[in-house]
Amino acid sequence: MGTPVTVPWKQLLLRALESQSHLKHSIYFQLATVGTNGRPSNRTVVFRGFQDNTDKIQINSDTRSRKIEELKSCPFSEICWYFTESWEQFRINGRVDVIDGSNSDPEKLQIREKSWFGCSMKARLQYLDPEQGCLSVNEQPKEFSLDPCAGPVDAFCMLILEPDQVDYLNLKSNQKLKFMSRLSDNGEKYWASLKTNPEC
């Protein structure tokens, strides 16, 4: 493996996460996709860390959710992540790889399994629920059991967002930076940055 790429925006993000780790909502962000009808589609998801030694962002998801169909139709997405205490915003644009149980790459399946076992039992049980939707008036929610040693269920998948552009805004200092990924002459990824005027 080569030397890990220096990612300046990642350091800003990790600093924001660390300084606001006492705020439970600091690990939540909005993930926007393009709906199958061509309209914007947005929801709140949970940050599950960076893939080892990379700038790729990990998210757990249910294969039955609408966003999976949307991402398979159009894999491009944008994250909007706002830190309420430091007044920092990160808009992270990139391509999303959906990793479910049918994936043929053993390394990706290993990442999926690692994330599964990183979930609490309560979180894992959510993937055993029937098709997502509302229960009928007379229908009672079912209780499920799961072997703690059992691997990922079919409904569990991972989303890996590989950023190609990040817009950073600090409302306290009025600082705005744009980071863009580039490929060097030898095909290695690097990040270029520039200062821009804050948007109104």
Side-chain angles (χ1 to χ4, degrees), residues 48-78:
R48 299 295 180 179
F50 286 99
Q51 194 172 326
D52 294 344
N53 299 317
T54 73
D55 55 13
K56 297 178 182 179
I57 294 171
Q58 300 183 143
I59 303 160
N60 293 345
S61 187
D62 192 311
T63 57
R64 300 164 296 181
S65 67
R66 189 176 64 189
K67 63 180 170 292
I68 303 304
E69 181 185 2
E70 293 171 349
L71 287 167
K72 287 184 175 181
S73 175
C74 178
F76 299 103
S77 178
E78 183 170 280

PDB file of all heavy atoms in Angstrom, residues 48-78:
ATOM      1  N   ARG A  48     -20.429   6.686  10.409  1.00  0.00           N
ATOM      2  CA  ARG A  48     -19.862   5.437  10.936  1.00  0.00           C
ATOM      3  C   ARG A  48     -18.348   5.379  10.775  1.00  0.00           C
ATOM      4  O   ARG A  48     -17.759   4.305  10.793  1.00  0.00           O
ATOM      5  CB  ARG A  48     -20.509   4.238  10.233  1.00  0.00           C
ATOM      6  CG  ARG A  48     -22.017   4.135  10.426  1.00  0.00           C
ATOM      7  CD  ARG A  48     -22.392   3.874  11.869  1.00  0.00           C
ATOM      8  NE  ARG A  48     -23.837   3.767  12.040  1.00  0.00           N
ATOM      9  CZ  ARG A  48     -24.425   3.529  13.213  1.00  0.00           C
ATOM     10  NH1 ARG A  48     -23.688   3.371  14.293  1.00  0.00           N
ATOM     11  NH2 ARG A  48     -25.747   3.459  13.300  1.00  0.00           N
ATOM     12  N   GLY A  49     -17.743   6.535  10.635  1.00  0.00           N
ATOM     13  CA  GLY A  49     -16.288   6.594  10.562  1.00  0.00           C
ATOM     14  C   GLY A  49     -15.766   6.650   9.138  1.00  0.00           C
ATOM     15  O   GLY A  49     -16.516   6.566   8.156  1.00  0.00           O
ATOM     16  N   PHE A  50     -14.450   6.802   9.045  1.00  0.00           N
ATOM     17  CA  PHE A  50     -13.766   6.768   7.752  1.00  0.00           C
ATOM     18  C   PHE A  50     -13.252   5.354   7.504  1.00  0.00           C
ATOM     19  O   PHE A  50     -12.852   4.653   8.437  1.00  0.00           O
ATOM     20  CB  PHE A  50     -12.572   7.733   7.745  1.00  0.00           C
ATOM     21  CG  PHE A  50     -12.955   9.183   7.668  1.00  0.00           C
ATOM     22  CD1 PHE A  50     -12.998   9.958   8.815  1.00  0.00           C
ATOM     23  CD2 PHE A  50     -13.256   9.777   6.454  1.00  0.00           C
ATOM     24  CE1 PHE A  50     -13.342  11.299   8.763  1.00  0.00           C
ATOM     25  CE2 PHE A  50     -13.605  11.120   6.386  1.00  0.00           C
ATOM     26  CZ  PHE A  50     -13.644  11.886   7.537  1.00  0.00           C
ATOM     27  N   GLN A  51     -13.266   4.976   6.241  1.00  0.00           N
ATOM     28  CA  GLN A  51     -12.637   3.706   5.896  1.00  0.00           C
ATOM     29  C   GLN A  51     -11.154   3.831   6.205  1.00  0.00           C
ATOM     30  O   GLN A  51     -10.546   4.891   6.018  1.00  0.00           O
ATOM     31  CB  GLN A  51     -12.864   3.405   4.411  1.00  0.00           C
ATOM     32  CG  GLN A  51     -12.559   1.980   4.027  1.00  0.00           C
ATOM     33  CD  GLN A  51     -12.980   1.683   2.596  1.00  0.00           C
ATOM     34  OE1 GLN A  51     -13.967   2.218   2.105  1.00  0.00           O
ATOM     35  NE2 GLN A  51     -12.227   0.830   1.928  1.00  0.00           N
ATOM     36  N   ASP A  52     -10.539   2.762   6.680  1.00  0.00           N
ATOM     37  CA  ASP A  52      -9.160   2.788   7.170  1.00  0.00           C
ATOM     38  C   ASP A  52      -8.206   3.536   6.238  1.00  0.00           C
ATOM     39  O   ASP A  52      -8.091   3.204   5.058  1.00  0.00           O
ATOM     40  CB  ASP A  52      -8.642   1.359   7.374  1.00  0.00           C
ATOM     41  CG  ASP A  52      -9.381   0.633   8.494  1.00  0.00           C
ATOM     42  OD1 ASP A  52     -10.047   1.317   9.289  1.00  0.00           O
ATOM     43  OD2 ASP A  52      -9.282  -0.599   8.567  1.00  0.00           O
ATOM     44  N   ASN A  53      -7.529   4.554   6.804  1.00  0.00           N
ATOM     45  CA  ASN A  53      -6.471   5.311   6.104  1.00  0.00           C
ATOM     46  C   ASN A  53      -6.927   5.943   4.787  1.00  0.00           C
ATOM     47  O   ASN A  53      -6.138   6.098   3.852  1.00  0.00           O
ATOM     48  CB  ASN A  53      -5.260   4.403   5.830  1.00  0.00           C
ATOM     49  CG  ASN A  53      -4.642   3.866   7.097  1.00  0.00           C
ATOM     50  OD1 ASN A  53      -4.480   4.608   8.077  1.00  0.00           O
ATOM     51  ND2 ASN A  53      -4.309   2.587   7.106  1.00  0.00           N
ATOM     52  N   THR A  54      -8.210   6.299   4.722  1.00  0.00           N
ATOM     53  CA  THR A  54      -8.717   6.952   3.514  1.00  0.00           C
ATOM     54  C   THR A  54      -9.590   8.148   3.907  1.00  0.00           C
ATOM     55  O   THR A  54      -9.811   8.408   5.089  1.00  0.00           O
ATOM     56  CB  THR A  54      -9.579   5.997   2.648  1.00  0.00           C
ATOM     57  OG1 THR A  54     -10.843   5.782   3.305  1.00  0.00           O
ATOM     58  CG2 THR A  54      -8.884   4.657   2.435  1.00  0.00           C
ATOM     59  N   ASP A  55     -10.111   8.837   2.894  1.00  0.00           N
ATOM     60  CA  ASP A  55     -11.052   9.932   3.131  1.00  0.00           C
ATOM     61  C   ASP A  55     -12.487   9.481   2.849  1.00  0.00           C
ATOM     62  O   ASP A  55     -13.396  10.301   2.765  1.00  0.00           O
ATOM     63  CB  ASP A  55     -10.691  11.146   2.268  1.00  0.00           C
ATOM     64  CG  ASP A  55     -10.614  10.807   0.779  1.00  0.00           C
ATOM     65  OD1 ASP A  55     -11.068   9.707   0.378  1.00  0.00           O
ATOM     66  OD2 ASP A  55     -10.088  11.624   0.001  1.00  0.00           O
ATOM     67  N   LYS A  56     -12.706   8.175   2.692  1.00  0.00           N
ATOM     68  CA  LYS A  56     -14.031   7.640   2.355  1.00  0.00           C
ATOM     69  C   LYS A  56     -14.906   7.540   3.608  1.00  0.00           C
ATOM     70  O   LYS A  56     -14.476   7.009   4.634  1.00  0.00           O
ATOM     71  CB  LYS A  56     -13.903   6.272   1.696  1.00  0.00           C
ATOM     72  CG  LYS A  56     -13.155   6.301   0.365  1.00  0.00           C
ATOM     73  CD  LYS A  56     -13.006   4.905  -0.228  1.00  0.00           C
ATOM     74  CE  LYS A  56     -12.229   4.936  -1.530  1.00  0.00           C
ATOM     75  NZ  LYS A  56     -12.061   3.576  -2.100  1.00  0.00           N
ATOM     76  N   ILE A  57     -16.138   8.043   3.492  1.00  0.00           N
ATOM     77  CA  ILE A  57     -17.071   8.112   4.618  1.00  0.00           C
ATOM     78  C   ILE A  57     -18.015   6.916   4.603  1.00  0.00           C
ATOM     79  O   ILE A  57     -18.597   6.584   3.571  1.00  0.00           O
ATOM     80  CB  ILE A  57     -17.858   9.435   4.569  1.00  0.00           C
ATOM     81  CG1 ILE A  57     -16.889  10.608   4.814  1.00  0.00           C
ATOM     82  CG2 ILE A  57     -18.992   9.452   5.579  1.00  0.00           C
ATOM     83  CD1 ILE A  57     -17.505  11.967   4.586  1.00  0.00           C
ATOM     84  N   GLN A  58     -18.171   6.286   5.779  1.00  0.00           N
ATOM     85  CA  GLN A  58     -18.987   5.079   5.901  1.00  0.00           C
ATOM     86  C   GLN A  58     -20.344   5.386   6.541  1.00  0.00           C
ATOM     87  O   GLN A  58     -20.431   6.117   7.514  1.00  0.00           O
ATOM     88  CB  GLN A  58     -18.254   4.029   6.738  1.00  0.00           C
ATOM     89  CG  GLN A  58     -16.922   3.611   6.151  1.00  0.00           C
ATOM     90  CD  GLN A  58     -16.239   2.517   6.949  1.00  0.00           C
ATOM     91  OE1 GLN A  58     -15.599   1.627   6.390  1.00  0.00           O
ATOM     92  NE2 GLN A  58     -16.362   2.560   8.261  1.00  0.00           N
ATOM     93  N   ILE A  59     -21.389   4.775   5.979  1.00  0.00           N
ATOM     94  CA  ILE A  59     -22.764   4.936   6.458  1.00  0.00           C
ATOM     95  C   ILE A  59     -23.433   3.562   6.414  1.00  0.00           C
ATOM     96  O   ILE A  59     -23.289   2.837   5.422  1.00  0.00           O
ATOM     97  CB  ILE A  59     -23.555   5.913   5.551  1.00  0.00           C
ATOM     98  CG1 ILE A  59     -22.861   7.273   5.456  1.00  0.00           C
ATOM     99  CG2 ILE A  59     -24.996   6.074   6.044  1.00  0.00           C
ATOM    100  CD1 ILE A  59     -23.293   8.096   4.244  1.00  0.00           C
ATOM    101  N   ASN A  60     -24.155   3.199   7.460  1.00  0.00           N
ATOM    102  CA  ASN A  60     -24.945   1.963   7.445  1.00  0.00           C
ATOM    103  C   ASN A  60     -26.335   2.264   6.898  1.00  0.00           C
ATOM    104  O   ASN A  60     -26.887   3.336   7.142  1.00  0.00           O
ATOM    105  CB  ASN A  60     -25.075   1.382   8.851  1.00  0.00           C
ATOM    106  CG  ASN A  60     -23.749   0.886   9.401  1.00  0.00           C
ATOM    107  OD1 ASN A  60     -22.780   0.711   8.650  1.00  0.00           O
ATOM    108  ND2 ASN A  60     -23.688   0.654  10.694  1.00  0.00           N
ATOM    109  N   SER A  61     -26.908   1.290   6.193  1.00  0.00           N
ATOM    110  CA  SER A  61     -28.236   1.514   5.637  1.00  0.00           C
ATOM    111  C   SER A  61     -28.986   0.198   5.474  1.00  0.00           C
ATOM    112  O   SER A  61     -28.430  -0.887   5.640  1.00  0.00           O
ATOM    113  CB  SER A  61     -28.137   2.229   4.288  1.00  0.00           C
ATOM    114  OG  SER A  61     -29.415   2.594   3.811  1.00  0.00           O
ATOM    115  N   ASP A  62     -30.267   0.319   5.153  1.00  0.00           N
ATOM    116  CA  ASP A  62     -31.143  -0.816   4.902  1.00  0.00           C
ATOM    117  C   ASP A  62     -31.350  -0.930   3.395  1.00  0.00           C
ATOM    118  O   ASP A  62     -31.699   0.054   2.740  1.00  0.00           O
ATOM    119  CB  ASP A  62     -32.486  -0.595   5.624  1.00  0.00           C
ATOM    120  CG  ASP A  62     -33.359  -1.832   5.657  1.00  0.00           C
ATOM    121  OD1 ASP A  62     -33.549  -2.463   4.602  1.00  0.00           O
ATOM    122  OD2 ASP A  62     -33.878  -2.166   6.743  1.00  0.00           O
ATOM    123  N   THR A  63     -31.147  -2.111   2.848  1.00  0.00           N
ATOM    124  CA  THR A  63     -31.266  -2.295   1.400  1.00  0.00           C
ATOM    125  C   THR A  63     -32.665  -1.973   0.892  1.00  0.00           C
ATOM    126  O   THR A  63     -32.852  -1.703  -0.303  1.00  0.00           O
ATOM    127  CB  THR A  63     -30.934  -3.746   0.999  1.00  0.00           C
ATOM    128  OG1 THR A  63     -31.800  -4.640   1.703  1.00  0.00           O
ATOM    129  CG2 THR A  63     -29.493  -4.084   1.325  1.00  0.00           C
ATOM    130  N   ARG A  64     -33.662  -1.974   1.794  1.00  0.00           N
ATOM    131  CA  ARG A  64     -35.050  -1.733   1.384  1.00  0.00           C
ATOM    132  C   ARG A  64     -35.415  -0.255   1.392  1.00  0.00           C
ATOM    133  O   ARG A  64     -36.528   0.112   1.020  1.00  0.00           O
ATOM    134  CB  ARG A  64     -35.986  -2.509   2.312  1.00  0.00           C
ATOM    135  CG  ARG A  64     -35.748  -4.016   2.278  1.00  0.00           C
ATOM    136  CD  ARG A  64     -36.399  -4.722   3.450  1.00  0.00           C
ATOM    137  NE  ARG A  64     -35.808  -4.304   4.721  1.00  0.00           N
ATOM    138  CZ  ARG A  64     -36.173  -4.786   5.910  1.00  0.00           C
ATOM    139  NH1 ARG A  64     -37.123  -5.700   5.975  1.00  0.00           N
ATOM    140  NH2 ARG A  64     -35.600  -4.349   7.023  1.00  0.00           N
ATOM    141  N   SER A  65     -34.471   0.599   1.836  1.00  0.00           N
ATOM    142  CA  SER A  65     -34.776   2.029   1.888  1.00  0.00           C
ATOM    143  C   SER A  65     -34.723   2.642   0.492  1.00  0.00           C
ATOM    144  O   SER A  65     -34.033   2.142  -0.406  1.00  0.00           O
ATOM    145  CB  SER A  65     -33.798   2.759   2.823  1.00  0.00           C
ATOM    146  OG  SER A  65     -32.490   2.741   2.297  1.00  0.00           O
ATOM    147  N   ARG A  66     -35.424   3.730   0.328  1.00  0.00           N
ATOM    148  CA  ARG A  66     -35.544   4.379  -0.985  1.00  0.00           C
ATOM    149  C   ARG A  66     -34.194   4.856  -1.515  1.00  0.00           C
ATOM    150  O   ARG A  66     -33.952   4.850  -2.727  1.00  0.00           O
ATOM    151  CB  ARG A  66     -36.521   5.553  -0.880  1.00  0.00           C
ATOM    152  CG  ARG A  66     -36.892   6.163  -2.230  1.00  0.00           C
ATOM    153  CD  ARG A  66     -37.935   7.257  -2.053  1.00  0.00           C
ATOM    154  NE  ARG A  66     -37.424   8.371  -1.270  1.00  0.00           N
ATOM    155  CZ  ARG A  66     -38.177   9.382  -0.830  1.00  0.00           C
ATOM    156  NH1 ARG A  66     -39.464   9.378  -1.077  1.00  0.00           N
ATOM    157  NH2 ARG A  66     -37.643  10.370  -0.145  1.00  0.00           N
ATOM    158  N   LYS A  67     -33.322   5.268  -0.621  1.00  0.00           N
ATOM    159  CA  LYS A  67     -32.047   5.828  -1.084  1.00  0.00           C
ATOM    160  C   LYS A  67     -31.177   4.805  -1.815  1.00  0.00           C
ATOM    161  O   LYS A  67     -30.352   5.176  -2.658  1.00  0.00           O
ATOM    162  CB  LYS A  67     -31.263   6.450   0.077  1.00  0.00           C
ATOM    163  CG  LYS A  67     -30.839   5.534   1.176  1.00  0.00           C
ATOM    164  CD  LYS A  67     -30.071   6.332   2.237  1.00  0.00           C
ATOM    165  CE  LYS A  67     -29.808   5.516   3.501  1.00  0.00           C
ATOM    166  NZ  LYS A  67     -31.062   5.238   4.237  1.00  0.00           N
ATOM    167  N   ILE A  68     -31.363   3.514  -1.507  1.00  0.00           N
ATOM    168  CA  ILE A  68     -30.564   2.492  -2.182  1.00  0.00           C
ATOM    169  C   ILE A  68     -30.942   2.420  -3.656  1.00  0.00           C
ATOM    170  O   ILE A  68     -30.076   2.401  -4.542  1.00  0.00           O
ATOM    171  CB  ILE A  68     -30.751   1.119  -1.507  1.00  0.00           C
ATOM    172  CG1 ILE A  68     -30.372   1.202  -0.019  1.00  0.00           C
ATOM    173  CG2 ILE A  68     -29.918   0.062  -2.227  1.00  0.00           C
ATOM    174  CD1 ILE A  68     -28.978   1.708   0.251  1.00  0.00           C
ATOM    175  N   GLU A  69     -32.220   2.415  -3.936  1.00  0.00           N
ATOM    176  CA  GLU A  69     -32.688   2.427  -5.321  1.00  0.00           C
ATOM    177  C   GLU A  69     -32.204   3.685  -6.038  1.00  0.00           C
ATOM    178  O   GLU A  69     -31.774   3.633  -7.204  1.00  0.00           O
ATOM    179  CB  GLU A  69     -34.214   2.359  -5.353  1.00  0.00           C
ATOM    180  CG  GLU A  69     -34.809   2.347  -6.753  1.00  0.00           C
ATOM    181  CD  GLU A  69     -36.332   2.396  -6.752  1.00  0.00           C
ATOM    182  OE1 GLU A  69     -36.942   2.473  -5.668  1.00  0.00           O
ATOM    183  OE2 GLU A  69     -36.915   2.381  -7.855  1.00  0.00           O
ATOM    184  N   GLU A  70     -32.240   4.812  -5.336  1.00  0.00           N
ATOM    185  CA  GLU A  70     -31.808   6.080  -5.936  1.00  0.00           C
ATOM    186  C   GLU A  70     -30.319   6.066  -6.251  1.00  0.00           C
ATOM    187  O   GLU A  70     -29.895   6.512  -7.320  1.00  0.00           O
ATOM    188  CB  GLU A  70     -32.151   7.224  -4.988  1.00  0.00           C
ATOM    189  CG  GLU A  70     -33.651   7.435  -4.826  1.00  0.00           C
ATOM    190  CD  GLU A  70     -34.013   8.426  -3.731  1.00  0.00           C
ATOM    191  OE1 GLU A  70     -33.122   8.810  -2.942  1.00  0.00           O
ATOM    192  OE2 GLU A  70     -35.192   8.808  -3.659  1.00  0.00           O
ATOM    193  N   LEU A  71     -29.519   5.540  -5.325  1.00  0.00           N
ATOM    194  CA  LEU A  71     -28.070   5.516  -5.529  1.00  0.00           C
ATOM    195  C   LEU A  71     -27.659   4.524  -6.612  1.00  0.00           C
ATOM    196  O   LEU A  71     -26.658   4.729  -7.298  1.00  0.00           O
ATOM    197  CB  LEU A  71     -27.366   5.183  -4.210  1.00  0.00           C
ATOM    198  CG  LEU A  71     -27.372   6.307  -3.178  1.00  0.00           C
ATOM    199  CD1 LEU A  71     -26.952   5.799  -1.804  1.00  0.00           C
ATOM    200  CD2 LEU A  71     -26.454   7.453  -3.618  1.00  0.00           C
ATOM    201  N   LYS A  72     -28.417   3.460  -6.762  1.00  0.00           N
ATOM    202  CA  LYS A  72     -28.108   2.513  -7.835  1.00  0.00           C
ATOM    203  C   LYS A  72     -28.462   3.109  -9.192  1.00  0.00           C
ATOM    204  O   LYS A  72     -27.854   2.761 -10.213  1.00  0.00           O
ATOM    205  CB  LYS A  72     -28.844   1.189  -7.597  1.00  0.00           C
ATOM    206  CG  LYS A  72     -28.240   0.389  -6.445  1.00  0.00           C
ATOM    207  CD  LYS A  72     -28.901  -0.966  -6.261  1.00  0.00           C
ATOM    208  CE  LYS A  72     -28.190  -1.776  -5.180  1.00  0.00           C
ATOM    209  NZ  LYS A  72     -28.793  -3.111  -4.980  1.00  0.00           N
ATOM    210  N   SER A  73     -29.425   4.019  -9.197  1.00  0.00           N
ATOM    211  CA  SER A  73     -29.806   4.702 -10.436  1.00  0.00           C
ATOM    212  C   SER A  73     -28.844   5.848 -10.744  1.00  0.00           C
ATOM    213  O   SER A  73     -28.461   6.062 -11.897  1.00  0.00           O
ATOM    214  CB  SER A  73     -31.231   5.235 -10.305  1.00  0.00           C
ATOM    215  OG  SER A  73     -31.592   6.003 -11.428  1.00  0.00           O
ATOM    216  N   CYS A  74     -28.458   6.591  -9.682  1.00  0.00           N
ATOM    217  CA  CYS A  74     -27.513   7.711  -9.822  1.00  0.00           C
ATOM    218  C   CYS A  74     -26.624   7.716  -8.577  1.00  0.00           C
ATOM    219  O   CYS A  74     -27.090   8.078  -7.500  1.00  0.00           O
ATOM    220  CB  CYS A  74     -28.254   9.034  -9.950  1.00  0.00           C
ATOM    221  SG  CYS A  74     -27.155  10.470 -10.062  1.00  0.00           S
ATOM    222  N   PRO A  75     -25.374   7.305  -8.682  1.00  0.00           N
ATOM    223  CA  PRO A  75     -24.520   7.112  -7.512  1.00  0.00           C
ATOM    224  C   PRO A  75     -23.943   8.376  -6.891  1.00  0.00           C
ATOM    225  O   PRO A  75     -23.189   8.296  -5.911  1.00  0.00           O
ATOM    226  CB  PRO A  75     -23.391   6.224  -8.051  1.00  0.00           C
ATOM    227  CG  PRO A  75     -23.285   6.616  -9.491  1.00  0.00           C
ATOM    228  CD  PRO A  75     -24.695   6.900  -9.933  1.00  0.00           C
ATOM    229  N   PHE A  76     -24.295   9.535  -7.416  1.00  0.00           N
ATOM    230  CA  PHE A  76     -23.725  10.774  -6.884  1.00  0.00           C
ATOM    231  C   PHE A  76     -24.584  11.339  -5.759  1.00  0.00           C
ATOM    232  O   PHE A  76     -25.812  11.286  -5.793  1.00  0.00           O
ATOM    233  CB  PHE A  76     -23.550  11.801  -8.005  1.00  0.00           C
ATOM    234  CG  PHE A  76     -22.616  11.321  -9.072  1.00  0.00           C
ATOM    235  CD1 PHE A  76     -23.110  10.849 -10.284  1.00  0.00           C
ATOM    236  CD2 PHE A  76     -21.250  11.294  -8.858  1.00  0.00           C
ATOM    237  CE1 PHE A  76     -22.259  10.368 -11.259  1.00  0.00           C
ATOM    238  CE2 PHE A  76     -20.381  10.816  -9.834  1.00  0.00           C
ATOM    239  CZ  PHE A  76     -20.888  10.351 -11.038  1.00  0.00           C
ATOM    240  N   SER A  77     -23.909  11.882  -4.749  1.00  0.00           N
ATOM    241  CA  SER A  77     -24.609  12.337  -3.550  1.00  0.00           C
ATOM    242  C   SER A  77     -23.849  13.506  -2.930  1.00  0.00           C
ATOM    243  O   SER A  77     -22.692  13.771  -3.274  1.00  0.00           O
ATOM    244  CB  SER A  77     -24.704  11.171  -2.553  1.00  0.00           C
ATOM    245  OG  SER A  77     -25.341  11.575  -1.369  1.00  0.00           O
ATOM    246  N   GLU A  78     -24.537  14.198  -2.011  1.00  0.00           N
ATOM    247  CA  GLU A  78     -23.873  15.272  -1.267  1.00  0.00           C
ATOM    248  C   GLU A  78     -24.295  15.224   0.198  1.00  0.00           C
ATOM    249  O   GLU A  78     -25.465  15.056   0.528  1.00  0.00           O
ATOM    250  CB  GLU A  78     -24.199  16.652  -1.846  1.00  0.00           C
ATOM    251  CG  GLU A  78     -23.453  17.776  -1.119  1.00  0.00           C
ATOM    252  CD  GLU A  78     -23.567  19.115  -1.818  1.00  0.00           C
ATOM    253  OE1 GLU A  78     -22.826  19.333  -2.798  1.00  0.00           O
ATOM    254  OE2 GLU A  78     -24.400  19.935  -1.396  1.00  0.00           O
TER     255      GLU A  78
END
